[in-house]
Amino acid sequence: MVYLDNAATSFPKPPTVYKEAEKCMKTYCGNPGRSAHRMSLAAAEKIYECRSLLSDFFNLDAPERVVFTLNTTSALNMIMKGLLQNGDHVITGNMEHNSVLRPLYELKKTRHISVSKIDSTKDDDGIISQIQTLSNPRTKAVILSHSSNVIPRVMPIKMIGQLCRSRGIFFILDCAQSAGVYDADMENDCIDALCVPSHKGLLGIQGAGALCISKTVNERLVGTFTEGGNGTASFEPFMPDFLPDKLEAGTLPTPAVASLCEGIKYIKNIKTETVRNINNALCSSLCDRLSSLNGVTVYNNGRMGSMVLFNVDSLSSEDVARHLDRFGICVRGGFHCAPDTHRLLGTEETGAVRASFGVFNTQNDIERLYFAVKNIVNLLI
Amino acid sequence: MTERKIIAVSSVTYAMKGSELLAKNKIKRRITKLKPDKTKRGCTYGISVDLKDVEDAVRILRLGGVNYSEITDG
């Protein structure tokens, strides 16, 4: 099997990730923060270790400001719905995932926020210029994906963060695709909130995500998202007013968090630059190979990164993905939960096929994909 | 047996953070939960330390941003 759907979820994981998840489930998976027996405390210790690792990884310098969630989507919902109030204005982009767009559309309905979209395809100066032009006294937040999940496009986050900080605007960053690949430094890049999943570039298993909230954000400004038990102050009728407990109701996904610890350690060991180099090399190779085939359209337009988007003329993207699956190749066809991006690319009728790389992909995988696509094209002739 | 005191903190996360700070300063400590009759809030974590270390522990915790609500008998 050739797995080229790492933008959806990374596979395989490093052996240490599987080992730790299993070890957690078999030996120390008590409920963290509920009891004082050895298993509960051991679980709590692992949870705290992960908070510290994430805090360090993103230069947050505050493990207690790492809030564990189910995934990036719940982290984004949590910060948006906790922070945005009636009448607020938000700036986002035209290449965002539905995990950014849908909560914003919902808030337009329920809290009458207004949303402006920048053209994320512009160059870095163009991005900044648009944010400068669109921001007004009611602008509460700029919410953007660090890296697109459809075609390679990485945002100039330091420039954006500095602009937002100078104007008193919150900068919320969706790092679903970038974490473990492109660096994000919450302090130096002036990021107020950063959302990540455990199961993509950070190489943990599915079931956890994190919302990292900068020390520049007054925790009292962020409303609760879910209320319930959290093992503390049971007689208090309301959720605690401090992080992370304010935003963590219910049992945390301890095995997923434990696995994430090992994933982060793996990435720190090999370094994100290595991952970028692998991705760029594979991307370049695949773009060249696919572009040499008649009847194949590649949408990268010279951009290198973690994925290649393409179509086979006269075949729907889902059919191509299905054919490739028969060759033992896993890719994703369709619209990738990114409707605006597909409208931009002109693929809103067909969708497109996305091959997305991970740290364990090789040139051999690229060759196999190329020959499989060539086979499909030849069948159409 | 050495007398111990429990420094009550906001949650298990702060108990962990506090424990880490105290460990760096070579203070013996153990994370525990307060007895129900010792806390009005219900379900409170604390850091148990020797009586002789309480003053230092409280200072280290305060400097490290770990707030505590009370100090009770261990």
Side-chain angles (χ1 to χ4, degrees):
Chain A
M1 183 189 66
V2 171
Y3 186 81
L4 287 166
D5 198 16
N6 289 276
T9 199
S10 56
F11 179 87
K13 312 293 184 189
T16 48
V17 167
Y18 297 126
K19 244 191 193 156
E20 191 63 35
E22 187 179 6
K23 182 182 171 191
C24 173
M25 287 186 285
K26 283 185 170 173
T27 67
Y28 66 80
C29 200
N31 196 328
R34 298 297 186 273
S35 309
H37 55 68
R38 67 196 64 201
M39 273 188 61
S40 176
L41 291 179
E45 214 170 284
K46 184 55 76 171
I47 297 283
Y48 189 78
E49 182 189 347
C50 198
R51 293 190 207 276
S52 297
L53 282 167
L54 283 165
S55 171
D56 182 63
F57 194 80
F58 294 114
N59 197 22
L60 170 60
D61 192 31
E64 66 278 11
R65 282 180 165 253
V66 173
V67 177
F68 286 116
T69 64
L70 287 176
N71 44 42
T72 316
T73 298
S74 65
L76 285 164
N77 271 267
M78 194 175 275
I79 189 65
M80 282 195 250
K81 290 172 183 174
L83 204 61
L84 298 174
Q85 303 297 323
N86 275 334
D88 281 345
H89 173 242
V90 167
I91 297 172
T92 188
N94 66 353
M95 290 180 64
E96 297 302 311
H97 189 277
N98 273 336
S99 57
V100 169
L101 296 177
R102 283 181 174 169
L104 286 176
Y105 295 154
E106 184 65 24
L107 288 168
K108 273 180 84 168
K109 238 182 14 185
T110 56
R111 294 188 202 170
H112 309 293
I113 67 165
S114 56
V115 179
S116 301
K117 290 183 184 176
I118 62 167
D119 182 352
S120 300
T121 64
K122 298 289 184 204
D123 63 18
D124 293 356
D125 288 337
I127 299 289
I128 297 305
S129 165
Q130 290 175 86
I131 296 174
Q132 282 171 330
T133 305
L134 288 169
S135 64
N136 63 59
R138 296 205 71 94
T139 306
K140 186 75 161 281
V142 168
I143 306 172
L144 290 167
S145 298
H146 188 182
S147 166
S148 166
N149 72 314
V150 181
I151 52 169
R153 190 354 177 177
V154 181
M155 283 287 151
I157 57 172
K158 194 183 187 95
M159 291 166 72
I160 297 170
Q162 286 173 343
L163 172 61
C164 288
R165 188 61 57 83
S166 71
R167 295 190 174 197
I169 298 170
F170 289 111
F171 181 30
I172 298 170
L173 194 64
D174 172 359
C175 288
Q177 295 297 324
S178 61
V181 185
Y182 300 100
D183 298 321
D185 182 319
M186 291 190 74
E187 182 162 330
N188 293 314
D189 296 336
C190 302
I191 301 164
D192 293 300
L194 184 154
C195 304
V196 291
S198 59
H199 67 99
K200 295 185 201 269
L202 293 180
L203 304 178
I205 65 174
Q206 294 165 12
L211 165 63
C212 303
I213 301 177
S214 167
K215 288 183 282 190
T216 55
V217 178
N218 184 336
E219 55 200 353
R220 292 187 205 287
L221 291 178
V222 185
T224 57
F225 184 67
T226 308
E227 293 79 26
N230 64 352
T232 308
S234 302
F235 284 104
E236 299 289 331
F238 300 107
M239 292 295 285
D241 61 1
F242 51 85
L243 295 171
D245 305 75
K246 184 177 191 178
L247 299 178
E248 287 180 352
T251 301
L252 294 179
T254 308
V257 173
S259 78
L260 179 55
C261 282
E262 295 307 312
I264 295 169
K265 288 174 192 169
Y266 186 90
I267 291 293
K268 279 176 77 166
N269 191 41
I270 66 168
K271 298 196 184 348
T272 55
E273 187 185 354
T274 305
V275 181
R276 287 194 297 278
N277 290 341
I278 291 170
N279 286 350
N280 287 343
L282 295 175
C283 183
S284 174
S285 175
L286 183 58
C287 282
D288 286 345
R289 299 295 253 151
L290 290 180
S291 297
S292 71
L293 294 172
N294 282 331
V296 174
T297 305
V298 175
Y299 297 95
N300 281 42
N301 284 336
R303 288 187 191 273
M304 292 301 117
S306 309
M307 60 206 59
V308 172
L309 194 76
F310 67 96
N311 264 323
V312 175
D313 299 348
S314 78
L315 268 184
S316 84
S317 59
E318 297 287 9
D319 281 338
V320 173
R322 198 165 32 248
H323 283 304
L324 288 171
D325 187 39
R326 291 199 195 107
F327 283 97
I329 299 171
C330 302
V331 292
R332 182 175 172 187
F335 302 99
H336 314 100
C337 303
D340 286 353
T341 311
H342 282 281
R343 284 189 197 106
L344 260 184
L345 295 172
T347 50
E348 65 265 42
E349 301 295 326
T350 57
V353 182
R354 181 189 68 193
S356 51
F357 319 114
V359 75
F360 296 108
N361 285 123
T362 64
Q363 182 58 32
N364 190 51
D365 296 334
I366 301 305
E367 295 303 317
R368 280 189 57 182
L369 174 58
Y370 163 71
F371 282 111
V373 173
K374 188 175 181 184
N375 205 290
I376 293 167
V377 167
N378 287 342
L379 285 173
L380 293 172
I381 296 172
Chain B
M1 198 147 130
T2 321
E3 193 180 341
R4 297 182 72 83
K5 291 288 186 185
I6 300 176
I7 306 167
V9 292
S10 311
S11 70
V12 76
T13 300
Y14 291 90
M16 290 289 159
K17 182 170 179 168
S19 179
E20 205 175 64
L21 289 167
L22 297 181
K24 281 186 185 142
N25 286 273
K26 304 208 186 326
I27 291 180
K28 254 178 38 178
R29 75 271 162 240
R30 184 170 52 85
I31 294 174
T32 186
K33 282 184 85 170
L34 271 65
K35 292 179 190 154
D37 60 333
K38 298 283 185 196
T39 163
K40 294 192 188 82
R41 298 162 73 222
C43 297
T44 304
Y45 279 89
I47 306 171
S48 169
V49 298
D50 288 341
L51 175 63
K52 65 175 174 55
D53 293 325
V54 169
E55 209 175 303
D56 285 338
V58 158
R59 178 180 50 81
I60 289 162
L61 292 177
R62 200 181 291 125
L63 283 171
V66 178
N67 294 329
Y68 69 95
S69 54
E70 56 190 310
I71 300 171
T72 71
D73 294 330

